[in-house]
Amino acid sequence: MIALARKTLLYEWRRYLPATLAVALSGMLLLVQLALVYGIFQGAAVYINASRGQLWVGYPGTRSVDLGRSIPLDTEIHLLMNPGVRRVEPFQWVNGDWRGTPALGSVSVFISGIDPTANGLAFARVIPPQLRHRLYQPNAIIVDAADLPKLGIHLGQTGILNCQRVHLVGVVHGIRALGGVNIISSLATARGLNAGGDLRPAYYIVQLTQSGRAKALRNQLRSSSHPPRYSVWTSSQFAARTIRYWLFQTGAGLGVVFMSLVVFLVGTVITSQTLMGAVAGSIAEYATLNALGASHAALARVVLEQAAWVGTAGLAIGGVLSTILLFLARNQNVPVSIGPLGVLVCLGLVMGITLFSGLLAVRSLRNADPAYLLR
Amino acid sequence: MSSPLHAEGLSKAFLSGKVRTAVLEQLSLSLDPGELTLLAGPSGCGKSTLLAILSGLERPDQGWVEAQGERIWSLDHHALRRFRLHHVGFVFQGFNLFAALNAVEQVALPLTYLGLKPAEYRRRAEAALDEVGLAACRHLRPAEMSGGEKQRVAIARAMAKEPTLLFADEPTSALDSANGRIVIDILHRAARQHGVAVLCATHDPRLLSHADRILRMEDGRILDDQHPASPAPTAEDSAL
């Protein structure tokens, strides 16, 4: 075959550059936006993702980890009765009020009470055992390094939390909260900070004897609780459930969809206009081919192939730009996260933009009437 | 030898607002194979419209055109396109070459729609370029060619399909006299050597001496149908 589409694209690259850049920037905007939103809302599920253990058990129907309510204490025994369960660890959730310096005012915080033993499950991915051990000290707390300015405290200093003096024994990375500050303490400290409140845990984290049987154990534990006094989720399921809640119940997801539509619209307009201009610039040549017997479908294939090449080149440029941006964002502690599915969705959307633009440009081939060449 | 194209009672009018302008009126003609027929006449006399109707590009209001044993205006859209693909070549006033393709690719491109294998369409394209004297220019793009060379590529593109009918619309109007003569010589040779019926619309008086047959048109009618005794021999004819 004569690669008319590809050769034209290479020879007249300046003509196609605006479309290629539009596709590249559309792709970059979509990808970075998705990575940012997903990264930010991953913060909502940091309690789950930063912990080990295969199952989470909480109040029936809890839609997001931060909406947990106390569950009965005998749940622990009930869970341990299953031979597939190796370890059950309570997770205390307490809302707190941090009193910083007068200049900083007060800050709403989320206190996570965890088991400070060396093999504890909660936040095991971000708190090393030695640091975890320091939580045995009364009123000891750990926070994210990025939250120190917000709390107005440095390592080794004390602060007032829920009217009690607490002692900062360690800082870690990767536990920033969404809409507040995460403070980690021992279970005992957390209960002490919740004086007068419900002392029962909000969750139990479950470690299984065989981690690969998480779904089966989840189903077993679910069916063994009638009427349901608690819900059981696999860790990934509960994390996804939490992110989904934040995405779609808080209006943020709608914002993403709206922004994506704007990107789609702008990308489509620029790309289709460029392709239409290219078709118009070669309309006499297309008409001549039609006169010589090439079908409209064959000519449309040329335009669509050009659109596909523009999309491919745009995606390559957009991919490089996105990688650089995401790398810079990570370096600056900006929460960004995107998985293969997110990348695939962006790829699909961007190719959708270009092929839709190509289809719009194909319409201008209607002007390729060879009879006009004889008028 | 049977006529490759016969038309009878062709009429065509265009509407401009509420004004109906007749362009062709009850026109009939036949083309003979191996002949270069010039369609001469002033601008607006209906030459290009007649060409469009005979070549299957514009439907007449009345009359019929028969080619290859078929009434082409009874064919559906796809069959008409296939008819053009297999039997008709075109040379237009503008060369209409793709800027990105070299000469071989320009000529080979329409052949790909015939379903030929790459080796075959490349062989045919190179032979057609050789025939119009552009073998040495086969890797040049339009921007690197003169107007005359571009028109010769356009003729090679039309001839490489091995059509039985070749329609040319003012093929020399954008060329100087030397290039104009080369182009008309090539069209003449195409008719003689390949038995193609060539119909060439022109108002260039320099070409009249090269035609096997001259149809003079005016006001949508053929006023005169001449067969000059012996058209001036082309340079290539002389060489044969």
Side-chain angles (χ1 to χ4, degrees):
Chain A
M1 284 303 288
I2 308 295
L4 176 61
R6 187 166 48 82
K7 282 174 183 280
T8 303
L9 212 70
L10 288 175
Y11 187 74
E12 301 179 39
W13 63 270
R14 283 182 187 83
R15 188 197 280 271
Y16 294 93
L17 190 62
T20 309
L21 289 180
V23 170
L25 293 178
S26 302
M28 188 193 74
L29 274 173
L30 282 175
L31 195 88
V32 171
Q33 180 186 258
L34 199 63
L36 263 174
V37 169
Y38 202 70
I40 289 168
F41 289 128
Q42 282 256 315
V46 67
Y47 317 93
I48 307 160
N49 293 332
S51 302
R52 297 194 200 281
Q54 290 77 40
L55 299 179
W56 278 67
V57 179
Y59 192 82
T62 304
R63 287 186 292 171
S64 172
V65 68
D66 56 295
L67 300 176
R69 293 181 62 182
S70 303
I71 53 174
L73 287 167
D74 62 355
T75 305
E76 183 173 0
I77 302 298
H78 194 243
L79 295 170
L80 284 168
M81 283 167 63
N82 189 305
V85 172
R86 172 183 288 165
R87 177 183 166 85
V88 177
E89 184 179 305
F91 184 97
Q92 200 83 23
W93 178 272
V94 180
N95 288 314
D97 179 52
W98 175 272
R99 298 282 169 81
T101 59
L104 292 172
S106 73
V107 180
S108 289
V109 299
F110 310 120
I111 305 162
S112 298
I114 65 169
D115 185 343
T117 52
N119 62 343
L121 300 172
F123 292 106
R125 294 182 202 277
V126 288
I127 307 177
Q130 303 92 319
L131 182 57
R132 193 180 191 91
H133 192 258
R134 288 189 209 160
L135 291 177
Y136 275 116
Q137 299 170 34
N139 284 7
I141 59 164
I142 293 172
V143 299
D144 192 291
D147 288 330
L148 291 177
K150 218 183 289 180
L151 300 173
I153 191 173
H154 294 288
L155 187 62
Q157 291 182 333
T158 60
I160 303 295
L161 177 58
N162 283 4
C163 301
Q164 296 187 43
R165 186 162 292 279
V166 291
H167 181 209
L168 182 64
V169 297
V171 290
V172 290
H173 294 275
I175 59 162
R176 288 180 79 174
L178 199 59
V181 173
N182 273 327
I183 289 184
I184 300 172
S185 72
S186 67
L187 284 163
T189 300
R191 284 172 190 145
L193 290 168
N194 195 23
D198 195 334
L199 298 180
R200 294 174 300 171
Y203 298 101
Y204 284 101
I205 308 174
V206 179
Q207 187 177 41
L208 304 176
T209 50
Q210 291 173 287
S211 58
R213 295 195 62 230
K215 282 186 182 167
L217 261 291
R218 176 199 63 189
N219 296 341
Q220 274 182 25
L221 292 171
R222 267 182 186 171
S223 58
S224 64
S225 164
H226 281 296
R229 296 190 305 148
Y230 53 80
S231 286
V232 186
W233 309 275
T234 63
S235 300
S236 54
Q237 183 191 13
F238 195 33
R241 187 177 169 87
T242 296
I243 292 169
R244 229 178 5 254
Y245 173 81
W246 277 86
L247 267 177
F248 298 111
Q249 303 297 319
T250 64
L254 206 61
V256 173
V257 171
F258 182 74
M259 273 302 291
S260 303
L261 278 177
V262 171
V263 169
F264 196 93
L265 189 71
V266 172
T268 303
V269 167
I270 298 175
T271 310
S272 64
Q273 287 298 313
T274 307
L275 289 172
M276 279 181 196
V279 171
S282 299
I283 202 75
E285 288 77 19
Y286 285 121
T288 302
L289 275 188
N290 187 230
L292 289 169
S295 64
H296 266 285
L299 302 182
R301 271 199 298 276
V302 173
V303 177
L304 286 177
E305 193 187 329
Q306 280 175 345
W309 281 114
V310 163
T312 307
L315 277 177
I317 297 170
V320 172
L321 289 177
S322 304
T323 307
I324 293 170
L325 269 182
L326 293 181
F327 177 77
L328 288 176
R330 282 240 166 115
N331 260 10
Q332 297 300 311
N333 277 332
V334 177
V336 285
S337 171
I338 191 149
L341 184 66
V343 173
L344 272 178
V345 166
C346 288
L347 286 178
L349 273 174
V350 173
M351 278 315 274
I353 287 175
T354 50
L355 292 179
F356 184 60
S357 305
L359 284 175
L360 290 177
V362 162
R363 292 172 63 236
S364 45
L365 276 176
R366 285 182 306 186
N367 300 326
D369 181 359
Y372 280 105
L373 298 172
L374 292 172
R375 284 177 193 163
Chain B
M1 205 179 292
S2 66
S3 170
L5 184 136
H6 182 69
E8 199 70 46
L10 296 178
S11 294
K12 181 75 183 175
F14 291 107
L15 275 177
S16 176
K18 288 184 178 176
V19 181
R20 184 176 179 279
T21 309
V23 181
L24 297 180
E25 289 192 65
Q26 290 298 313
L27 190 149
S28 301
L29 91 142
S30 292
L31 294 181
D32 291 324
E35 262 191 9
L36 169 61
T37 304
L38 283 189
L39 195 56
S43 293
C45 70
K47 301 189 296 291
S48 297
T49 305
L50 179 59
L51 229 60
I53 291 173
L54 296 178
S55 60
L57 297 180
E58 183 104 42
R59 183 177 290 277
D61 295 337
Q62 283 177 29
W64 50 263
V65 177
E66 191 173 283
Q68 300 296 316
E70 284 188 289
R71 298 222 169 166
I72 64 170
W73 287 110
S74 303
L75 300 173
D76 65 23
H77 180 75
H78 293 292
L80 192 55
R81 181 186 59 76
R82 278 197 298 275
F83 166 78
R84 292 203 307 269
L85 176 65
H86 290 284
H87 302 296
V88 183
F90 287 95
V91 179
F92 298 103
Q93 186 176 349
F95 320 117
N96 304 341
L97 302 176
F98 285 97
L101 301 186
N102 65 29
V104 177
E105 291 163 342
Q106 304 277 4
V107 178
L109 185 58
L111 302 180
T112 62
Y113 301 113
L114 282 167
L116 300 179
K117 289 185 175 163
E120 173 63 8
Y121 64 63
R122 196 155 278 275
R123 185 194 64 74
R124 274 210 216 178
E126 295 200 349
L129 280 174
D130 195 22
E131 201 162 327
V132 298
L134 287 181
C137 301
R138 61 181 184 273
H139 294 305
L140 297 185
R141 291 198 177 97
E144 301 160 311
M145 288 188 265
S146 69
E149 286 169 337
K150 285 186 224 178
Q151 193 59 297
R152 282 149 74 186
V153 172
I155 294 172
R157 176 172 64 183
M159 288 302 299
K161 292 201 307 165
E162 299 174 0
T164 50
L165 298 163
L166 178 63
F167 297 94
D169 185 40
E170 307 282 3
T172 61
S173 65
L175 304 177
D176 59 30
S177 60
N179 275 309
R181 185 184 159 85
I182 291 171
V183 163
I184 201 71
D185 279 353
I186 291 170
L187 289 176
H188 200 177
R189 189 151 47 92
R192 292 253 175 111
Q193 293 185 353
H194 297 282
V196 184
V198 181
L199 182 60
C200 175
T202 184
H203 59 262
D204 185 349
R206 296 170 301 181
L207 305 186
L208 298 181
S209 58
H210 297 269
D212 296 310
R213 181 182 174 196
I214 300 168
L215 300 171
R216 292 186 194 278
M217 270 188 84
E218 207 165 310
D219 297 333
R221 289 193 173 87
I222 293 175
L223 299 181
D224 191 20
D225 185 351
Q226 290 181 340
H227 283 79
S230 57
T234 65
E236 289 76 7
D237 286 343
S238 307
L240 288 173

